[in-house]
């Protein structure tokens, strides 16, 4: 079955540091891939997505590239800010089922020090 | 535009008491609807999903149940809460027949004492 494995946290960085959160997946066919962000006490918000191989999703300075050859969708940001502190979830969705479930990774908590 | 609301936002209940969490979606029709639970410090666990009125699929056996009495209404219930039911419950929707993203509600934090 489909699955998502993401880097365990917590991850603590200083402001302006480079961020990478690793995500790899197992899926049949060609899933869509997502990164969601959850700020404290809130629901999840879509951060970015990619729907086919070599697509790059980007938003708010974050980027992730759909790599079919390595089955990966790593999240990167060149210079993090304190406001980026949150929990980040990698997720995938099968393409062909109308009731396809979105499978989430376990989440990575990111803390940014001023 | 589409919106999703769930309530109550916070709930403290004794063990053995009933539960009802409600979720409604506006601005779309025939959405796929989902209930997830997030235990403290853990990832998201899919509990139920629904592709239409009265159609409920359960992902894990437990003392929770879900119902969809109307197209855009999704309810999570329990007759008798357990301590292990504590967590952050999230309702979500996505367009029917699509493989696009989920849109989440604000979440309901349940503490069972």
């Amino acid at each position: 079955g489909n699955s998502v494995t993401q880097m365990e946290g917590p991850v603590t960085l200083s402001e302006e540091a480079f961020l990478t959160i690793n995500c790899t997946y197992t899926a049949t066919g060609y899933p869509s891939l997502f990164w969601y962000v959850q700020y404290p006490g809130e629901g999840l918000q879509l951060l970015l997505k990619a729907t086919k191989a070599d697509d790059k999703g980007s938003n708010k300075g974050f980027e992730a590239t759909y790599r079919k050859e390595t089955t990966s969708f790593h999240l990167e940001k060149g210079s993090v800010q304190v406001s980026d502190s949150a929990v980040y979830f990698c997720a995938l969705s099968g393409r062909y089922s109308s009731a396809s479930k979105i499978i989430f990774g376990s989440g990575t908590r990111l803390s940014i020090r001023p | 535009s589409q919106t999703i609301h769930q309530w109550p936002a916070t709930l403290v209940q004794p063990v053995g008491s009933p539960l009802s969490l409600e979720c409604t979606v506006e601005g779309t029709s025939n959405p796929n609807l989902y209930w997830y639970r997030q235990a403290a410090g853990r990832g998201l666990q899919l509990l139920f999903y629904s592709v239409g009125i009265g159609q409920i699929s359960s992902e894990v056996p437990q003392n929770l149940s879900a119902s969809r009495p109307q197209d855009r209404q999704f309810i999570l219930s329990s007759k008798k809460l357990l301590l292990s039911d504590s967590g952050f419950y999230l309702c979500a929707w996505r367009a029917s027949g699509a493989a696009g993203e989920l849109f989440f509600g604000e979440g309901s934090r349940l503490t069972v004492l």
Side-chain angles (χ1 to χ4, degrees):
Chain A
N2 296 345
S3 66
V4 175
T5 302
Q6 68 179 99
M7 178 176 173
E8 286 199 21
V11 174
T12 303
L13 297 172
S14 297
E15 205 166 21
E16 300 184 3
F18 183 86
L19 168 71
T20 299
I21 300 178
N22 290 338
C23 172
T24 57
Y25 68 90
T26 302
T28 54
Y30 302 91
S32 295
L33 301 173
F34 310 88
W35 276 101
Y36 283 84
V37 59
Q38 184 181 32
Y39 298 104
E42 298 184 9
L44 275 70
Q45 305 173 26
L46 179 68
L47 181 60
L48 52 85
K49 68 178 182 180
T51 58
K52 61 182 186 298
D54 300 324
D55 267 3
K56 177 186 284 187
S58 61
N59 186 25
K60 300 181 181 179
F62 290 89
E63 292 183 340
T65 301
Y66 189 144
R67 301 285 189 198
K68 194 171 188 308
E69 64 276 12
T70 54
T71 62
S72 65
F73 193 54
H74 304 321
L75 183 68
E76 297 181 335
K77 186 174 185 181
S79 176
V80 293
Q81 306 301 313
V82 172
S83 58
D84 294 327
S85 298
V87 181
Y88 292 81
F89 293 90
C90 185
L92 72 81
S93 172
R95 189 173 295 279
Y96 298 115
S97 167
S98 63
S100 55
K101 298 168 284 189
I102 291 194
I103 307 299
F104 285 86
S106 55
T108 302
R109 183 175 299 278
L110 174 66
S111 296
I112 306 300
R113 294 188 300 254
Chain B
S1 63
Q2 301 90 358
T3 58
I4 178 170
H5 300 288
Q6 61 177 108
W7 68 92
T10 305
L11 200 58
V12 180
Q13 293 285 101
V15 169
S17 64
L19 170 73
S20 180
L21 300 179
E22 191 164 340
C23 172
T24 60
V25 180
E26 297 176 0
T28 187
S29 59
N30 196 30
N32 290 345
L33 296 172
Y34 304 80
W35 277 111
Y36 285 86
R37 178 170 60 200
Q38 185 179 25
R42 300 176 66 178
L44 290 170
Q45 179 186 34
L46 178 61
L47 300 176
F48 301 95
Y49 66 95
S50 170
V51 301
I53 296 174
Q55 301 179 60
I56 307 294
S57 296
S58 174
E59 286 297 295
V60 291
Q62 59 210 325
N63 68 320
L64 298 172
S65 62
S67 62
R68 186 170 177 174
Q70 300 180 46
D71 181 45
R72 291 170 289 175
Q73 184 184 29
F74 204 27
I75 297 172
L76 183 70
S77 304
S78 174
K79 292 182 180 178
K80 289 186 177 182
L81 284 169
L82 305 173
L83 286 174
S84 58
D85 291 325
S86 293
F88 193 51
Y89 289 81
L90 290 158
C91 181
W93 75 274
R94 72 191 303 187
S96 176
E101 67 263 31
L102 284 174
F103 297 93
F104 284 85
E106 308 92 333
S108 299
R109 183 162 302 282
L110 170 65
T111 303
V112 182
L113 301 175

